[in-house]
Amino acid sequence: MTPGGAGVAQRHDQPTGGPAGLIGTGYELGGAPGARSAVVDGPYGGDDGTHGPNDASRGRDADGRRPLMTHGSAGDDGTGLGGDISTVLAARTAEEVLAGYLHQQSADFLRSLRLHRESGSDAEGAGEAARQLRRAARRISATLHTFRPLAEEAWADQLRSELGWLSGTLAREQACAARRERLMAALQRLTGRGERPDRSDRQSRPDRGKRGDRTTTSSATVPAASTAGTSTATSSTPAADPDDGALAAGAARAGALLDRQLTLARTRAHSAALQALGSSRFHAVADSVAVLASEAPLARTAAERSAGEALPPLAEQAHRRLAEAVAALPLSRAGYPYNAAALSADQRQDAPWHQVRMLVRLSRYAREVLAPEYADTRLAEAGRALEWHRDAAEAAAAAAAAARTPRIAPATAYALGVLHADQRHEVEAARFAFGRVWLPRTPERKS
């Protein structure tokens, strides 16, 4: 058995699921791996929306919004927006557009806070309210960041910092729960004997070395299982795969160890969230957002300049920062399936991709301010691929941390190593998917 197969990016000539049908196995159309609906930086599905099967043909996303014209597309007037949107912006002041968006998000924040307080012992209701609370907080913070020159900068910086603290504190519990669910599901997938043919069947296949659902990892990533004591099968009974036996022997203990560690982390995160919600610091944040819901402290220039003149250049500046960060990524290598570039766990390697994910969100929210009824589907798809990347990288880090637990059995360490490799394969597949979404596609030649 070779680990990590279910998370590997598929070959370019194989059907795939995921955003625009481009993400490899483990990420199906309209969903996301790990069942993680929200984290500190943004949820799958809930924030971006998921696309129905017929939405693309109608030119709208799942919420019924029409796609926002991307920069450089047909009909672009130089601002990255369609001409009709620029006309609407020119008829309003920058203060009217910014204040209206901030009022709406602040009202959503306060409504979610009320629902959270009223949820009581309803854990599901409290979790959904917390997700909506973070959703509004992220949009307020991103708007104040992108359009900072049009706001009172000292006030905007202070509120952004406090909203970041609140979002991070509330998100940790959900992140721990989602990471546990993701890792437990991966362990079950990797050890599911009913889904794998036995050894004799695999050896009889002429294309065994070309299978697209398994990729060999290096010995530095996953230790090789000992084959001592095994012999060639001389009867009709198929021989046991030593890798399968070693993985099965340690999977139960590995799962128990991860469950214990992540449950403890979730309990601590829950206590920290409750403490934060009862603190004077949180009440100060809520008061600031309540003021923002009725009066946005914007600069005088925001009332004097038209929205079409003041807002698009700042939104395009956010897009340029994103384009520069993407240009620094190794997309040429990530564009090849099975490139093995993401198999080594290195924070320096993952950090640029995490930064691009944040810039994708800033660019998407900036365009949302300019035209709330439109949606940039390309940015939404790219964001989902990078959130998949983030989730897989964090899950791999959790498996590696568990493997460093003192005095664990070798079989447990081996299972954790296989799990780590599987999640790093998911990282590789997410990078491949992002490249397919972001880079322009070359039309295929007709023979």
PDB file of all heavy atoms in Angstrom, residues 380-402:
ATOM      1  N   ALA A 380     -13.866  33.604  -6.200  1.00  0.00           N
ATOM      2  CA  ALA A 380     -14.521  32.690  -5.270  1.00  0.00           C
ATOM      3  C   ALA A 380     -13.974  31.279  -5.411  1.00  0.00           C
ATOM      4  O   ALA A 380     -13.702  30.595  -4.413  1.00  0.00           O
ATOM      5  CB  ALA A 380     -16.034  32.700  -5.505  1.00  0.00           C
ATOM      6  N   GLU A 381     -13.777  30.808  -6.653  1.00  0.00           N
ATOM      7  CA  GLU A 381     -13.239  29.467  -6.873  1.00  0.00           C
ATOM      8  C   GLU A 381     -11.803  29.381  -6.380  1.00  0.00           C
ATOM      9  O   GLU A 381     -11.402  28.401  -5.747  1.00  0.00           O
ATOM     10  CB  GLU A 381     -13.308  29.114  -8.362  1.00  0.00           C
ATOM     11  CG  GLU A 381     -14.699  29.109  -8.963  1.00  0.00           C
ATOM     12  CD  GLU A 381     -15.538  27.945  -8.488  1.00  0.00           C
ATOM     13  OE1 GLU A 381     -15.024  27.117  -7.706  1.00  0.00           O
ATOM     14  OE2 GLU A 381     -16.708  27.850  -8.881  1.00  0.00           O
ATOM     15  N   ALA A 382     -10.999  30.407  -6.658  1.00  0.00           N
ATOM     16  CA  ALA A 382      -9.614  30.419  -6.192  1.00  0.00           C
ATOM     17  C   ALA A 382      -9.552  30.416  -4.670  1.00  0.00           C
ATOM     18  O   ALA A 382      -8.712  29.738  -4.069  1.00  0.00           O
ATOM     19  CB  ALA A 382      -8.885  31.638  -6.756  1.00  0.00           C
ATOM     20  N   GLY A 383     -10.453  31.164  -4.043  1.00  0.00           N
ATOM     21  CA  GLY A 383     -10.470  31.191  -2.581  1.00  0.00           C
ATOM     22  C   GLY A 383     -10.806  29.842  -1.983  1.00  0.00           C
ATOM     23  O   GLY A 383     -10.216  29.431  -0.981  1.00  0.00           O
ATOM     24  N   ARG A 384     -11.743  29.117  -2.591  1.00  0.00           N
ATOM     25  CA  ARG A 384     -12.086  27.805  -2.071  1.00  0.00           C
ATOM     26  C   ARG A 384     -10.924  26.829  -2.209  1.00  0.00           C
ATOM     27  O   ARG A 384     -10.688  26.012  -1.318  1.00  0.00           O
ATOM     28  CB  ARG A 384     -13.349  27.277  -2.774  1.00  0.00           C
ATOM     29  CG  ARG A 384     -14.631  27.850  -2.220  1.00  0.00           C
ATOM     30  CD  ARG A 384     -15.828  27.084  -2.750  1.00  0.00           C
ATOM     31  NE  ARG A 384     -16.085  27.419  -4.142  1.00  0.00           N
ATOM     32  CZ  ARG A 384     -16.873  28.422  -4.535  1.00  0.00           C
ATOM     33  NH1 ARG A 384     -17.418  29.203  -3.635  1.00  0.00           N
ATOM     34  NH2 ARG A 384     -17.096  28.637  -5.818  1.00  0.00           N
ATOM     35  N   ALA A 385     -10.204  26.899  -3.314  1.00  0.00           N
ATOM     36  CA  ALA A 385      -9.051  26.021  -3.480  1.00  0.00           C
ATOM     37  C   ALA A 385      -7.982  26.312  -2.429  1.00  0.00           C
ATOM     38  O   ALA A 385      -7.365  25.399  -1.870  1.00  0.00           O
ATOM     39  CB  ALA A 385      -8.470  26.178  -4.888  1.00  0.00           C
ATOM     40  N   LEU A 386      -7.764  27.589  -2.128  1.00  0.00           N
ATOM     41  CA  LEU A 386      -6.742  27.948  -1.152  1.00  0.00           C
ATOM     42  C   LEU A 386      -7.197  27.653   0.277  1.00  0.00           C
ATOM     43  O   LEU A 386      -6.365  27.407   1.161  1.00  0.00           O
ATOM     44  CB  LEU A 386      -6.377  29.423  -1.306  1.00  0.00           C
ATOM     45  CG  LEU A 386      -5.629  29.752  -2.605  1.00  0.00           C
ATOM     46  CD1 LEU A 386      -5.429  31.250  -2.743  1.00  0.00           C
ATOM     47  CD2 LEU A 386      -4.286  29.034  -2.654  1.00  0.00           C
ATOM     48  N   GLU A 387      -8.493  27.685   0.533  1.00  0.00           N
ATOM     49  CA  GLU A 387      -8.977  27.275   1.850  1.00  0.00           C
ATOM     50  C   GLU A 387      -8.807  25.770   2.027  1.00  0.00           C
ATOM     51  O   GLU A 387      -8.494  25.298   3.133  1.00  0.00           O
ATOM     52  CB  GLU A 387     -10.438  27.694   2.008  1.00  0.00           C
ATOM     53  CG  GLU A 387     -10.593  29.197   2.232  1.00  0.00           C
ATOM     54  CD  GLU A 387     -12.012  29.673   2.070  1.00  0.00           C
ATOM     55  OE1 GLU A 387     -12.896  28.829   1.846  1.00  0.00           O
ATOM     56  OE2 GLU A 387     -12.244  30.890   2.147  1.00  0.00           O
ATOM     57  N   TRP A 388      -9.027  25.027   0.975  1.00  0.00           N
ATOM     58  CA  TRP A 388      -8.724  23.596   1.003  1.00  0.00           C
ATOM     59  C   TRP A 388      -7.242  23.389   1.311  1.00  0.00           C
ATOM     60  O   TRP A 388      -6.871  22.545   2.131  1.00  0.00           O
ATOM     61  CB  TRP A 388      -9.100  22.998  -0.353  1.00  0.00           C
ATOM     62  CG  TRP A 388      -8.736  21.558  -0.536  1.00  0.00           C
ATOM     63  CD1 TRP A 388      -8.443  20.627   0.426  1.00  0.00           C
ATOM     64  CD2 TRP A 388      -8.630  20.867  -1.775  1.00  0.00           C
ATOM     65  NE1 TRP A 388      -8.151  19.414  -0.144  1.00  0.00           N
ATOM     66  CE2 TRP A 388      -8.268  19.533  -1.494  1.00  0.00           C
ATOM     67  CE3 TRP A 388      -8.814  21.260  -3.104  1.00  0.00           C
ATOM     68  CZ2 TRP A 388      -8.073  18.596  -2.497  1.00  0.00           C
ATOM     69  CZ3 TRP A 388      -8.629  20.311  -4.092  1.00  0.00           C
ATOM     70  CH2 TRP A 388      -8.263  18.992  -3.788  1.00  0.00           C
ATOM     71  N   HIS A 389      -6.382  24.196   0.673  1.00  0.00           N
ATOM     72  CA  HIS A 389      -4.943  24.122   0.912  1.00  0.00           C
ATOM     73  C   HIS A 389      -4.629  24.387   2.377  1.00  0.00           C
ATOM     74  O   HIS A 389      -3.843  23.664   3.012  1.00  0.00           O
ATOM     75  CB  HIS A 389      -4.251  25.149   0.010  1.00  0.00           C
ATOM     76  CG  HIS A 389      -2.776  25.272   0.210  1.00  0.00           C
ATOM     77  ND1 HIS A 389      -2.214  26.031   1.229  1.00  0.00           N
ATOM     78  CD2 HIS A 389      -1.732  24.734  -0.467  1.00  0.00           C
ATOM     79  CE1 HIS A 389      -0.895  25.958   1.149  1.00  0.00           C
ATOM     80  NE2 HIS A 389      -0.579  25.176   0.141  1.00  0.00           N
ATOM     81  N   ARG A 390      -5.231  25.425   2.938  1.00  0.00           N
ATOM     82  CA  ARG A 390      -4.985  25.767   4.340  1.00  0.00           C
ATOM     83  C   ARG A 390      -5.432  24.656   5.281  1.00  0.00           C
ATOM     84  O   ARG A 390      -4.722  24.286   6.214  1.00  0.00           O
ATOM     85  CB  ARG A 390      -5.715  27.068   4.645  1.00  0.00           C
ATOM     86  CG  ARG A 390      -5.587  27.627   6.050  1.00  0.00           C
ATOM     87  CD  ARG A 390      -6.718  27.188   6.975  1.00  0.00           C
ATOM     88  NE  ARG A 390      -8.001  27.157   6.338  1.00  0.00           N
ATOM     89  CZ  ARG A 390      -8.778  28.249   6.162  1.00  0.00           C
ATOM     90  NH1 ARG A 390      -8.391  29.409   6.587  1.00  0.00           N
ATOM     91  NH2 ARG A 390      -9.963  28.115   5.567  1.00  0.00           N
ATOM     92  N   ASP A 391      -6.622  24.106   5.045  1.00  0.00           N
ATOM     93  CA  ASP A 391      -7.129  23.047   5.907  1.00  0.00           C
ATOM     94  C   ASP A 391      -6.228  21.817   5.871  1.00  0.00           C
ATOM     95  O   ASP A 391      -5.955  21.210   6.907  1.00  0.00           O
ATOM     96  CB  ASP A 391      -8.540  22.652   5.467  1.00  0.00           C
ATOM     97  CG  ASP A 391      -9.588  23.625   5.973  1.00  0.00           C
ATOM     98  OD1 ASP A 391      -9.207  24.574   6.667  1.00  0.00           O
ATOM     99  OD2 ASP A 391     -10.773  23.427   5.679  1.00  0.00           O
ATOM    100  N   ALA A 392      -5.788  21.430   4.679  1.00  0.00           N
ATOM    101  CA  ALA A 392      -4.925  20.250   4.556  1.00  0.00           C
ATOM    102  C   ALA A 392      -3.581  20.485   5.222  1.00  0.00           C
ATOM    103  O   ALA A 392      -3.040  19.589   5.888  1.00  0.00           O
ATOM    104  CB  ALA A 392      -4.737  19.892   3.084  1.00  0.00           C
ATOM    105  N   ALA A 393      -3.018  21.676   5.069  1.00  0.00           N
ATOM    106  CA  ALA A 393      -1.729  21.969   5.691  1.00  0.00           C
ATOM    107  C   ALA A 393      -1.835  21.942   7.212  1.00  0.00           C
ATOM    108  O   ALA A 393      -0.948  21.414   7.909  1.00  0.00           O
ATOM    109  CB  ALA A 393      -1.225  23.336   5.221  1.00  0.00           C
ATOM    110  N   GLU A 394      -2.924  22.486   7.763  1.00  0.00           N
ATOM    111  CA  GLU A 394      -3.099  22.470   9.215  1.00  0.00           C
ATOM    112  C   GLU A 394      -3.346  21.061   9.729  1.00  0.00           C
ATOM    113  O   GLU A 394      -2.870  20.697  10.816  1.00  0.00           O
ATOM    114  CB  GLU A 394      -4.252  23.391   9.599  1.00  0.00           C
ATOM    115  CG  GLU A 394      -3.957  24.863   9.375  1.00  0.00           C
ATOM    116  CD  GLU A 394      -5.118  25.754   9.754  1.00  0.00           C
ATOM    117  OE1 GLU A 394      -6.221  25.201  10.018  1.00  0.00           O
ATOM    118  OE2 GLU A 394      -4.947  26.984   9.781  1.00  0.00           O
ATOM    119  N   ALA A 395      -4.081  20.246   8.970  1.00  0.00           N
ATOM    120  CA  ALA A 395      -4.304  18.860   9.377  1.00  0.00           C
ATOM    121  C   ALA A 395      -3.003  18.074   9.357  1.00  0.00           C
ATOM    122  O   ALA A 395      -2.738  17.255  10.249  1.00  0.00           O
ATOM    123  CB  ALA A 395      -5.346  18.209   8.467  1.00  0.00           C
ATOM    124  N   ALA A 396      -2.172  18.303   8.343  1.00  0.00           N
ATOM    125  CA  ALA A 396      -0.874  17.630   8.290  1.00  0.00           C
ATOM    126  C   ALA A 396      -0.006  18.034   9.472  1.00  0.00           C
ATOM    127  O   ALA A 396       0.695  17.202  10.065  1.00  0.00           O
ATOM    128  CB  ALA A 396      -0.170  17.962   6.973  1.00  0.00           C
ATOM    129  N   ALA A 397      -0.054  19.307   9.836  1.00  0.00           N
ATOM    130  CA  ALA A 397       0.727  19.772  10.987  1.00  0.00           C
ATOM    131  C   ALA A 397       0.235  19.111  12.283  1.00  0.00           C
ATOM    132  O   ALA A 397       1.038  18.775  13.165  1.00  0.00           O
ATOM    133  CB  ALA A 397       0.648  21.285  11.101  1.00  0.00           C
ATOM    134  N   ALA A 398      -1.090  18.921  12.405  1.00  0.00           N
ATOM    135  CA  ALA A 398      -1.622  18.253  13.597  1.00  0.00           C
ATOM    136  C   ALA A 398      -1.167  16.806  13.664  1.00  0.00           C
ATOM    137  O   ALA A 398      -0.833  16.292  14.747  1.00  0.00           O
ATOM    138  CB  ALA A 398      -3.151  18.327  13.592  1.00  0.00           C
ATOM    139  N   ALA A 399      -1.133  16.105  12.523  1.00  0.00           N
ATOM    140  CA  ALA A 399      -0.649  14.728  12.506  1.00  0.00           C
ATOM    141  C   ALA A 399       0.828  14.660  12.870  1.00  0.00           C
ATOM    142  O   ALA A 399       1.266  13.773  13.612  1.00  0.00           O
ATOM    143  CB  ALA A 399      -0.888  14.110  11.128  1.00  0.00           C
ATOM    144  N   ALA A 400       1.610  15.600  12.371  1.00  0.00           N
ATOM    145  CA  ALA A 400       3.032  15.622  12.692  1.00  0.00           C
ATOM    146  C   ALA A 400       3.257  15.914  14.173  1.00  0.00           C
ATOM    147  O   ALA A 400       4.136  15.326  14.809  1.00  0.00           O
ATOM    148  CB  ALA A 400       3.740  16.664  11.836  1.00  0.00           C
ATOM    149  N   ALA A 401       2.454  16.823  14.736  1.00  0.00           N
ATOM    150  CA  ALA A 401       2.586  17.127  16.161  1.00  0.00           C
ATOM    151  C   ALA A 401       2.241  15.917  17.013  1.00  0.00           C
ATOM    152  O   ALA A 401       2.896  15.640  18.031  1.00  0.00           O
ATOM    153  CB  ALA A 401       1.685  18.308  16.523  1.00  0.00           C
ATOM    154  N   ALA A 402       1.212  15.167  16.605  1.00  0.00           N
ATOM    155  CA  ALA A 402       0.861  13.956  17.350  1.00  0.00           C
ATOM    156  C   ALA A 402       1.968  12.916  17.265  1.00  0.00           C
ATOM    157  O   ALA A 402       2.217  12.176  18.221  1.00  0.00           O
ATOM    158  CB  ALA A 402      -0.456  13.387  16.816  1.00  0.00           C
TER     159      ALA A 402
END
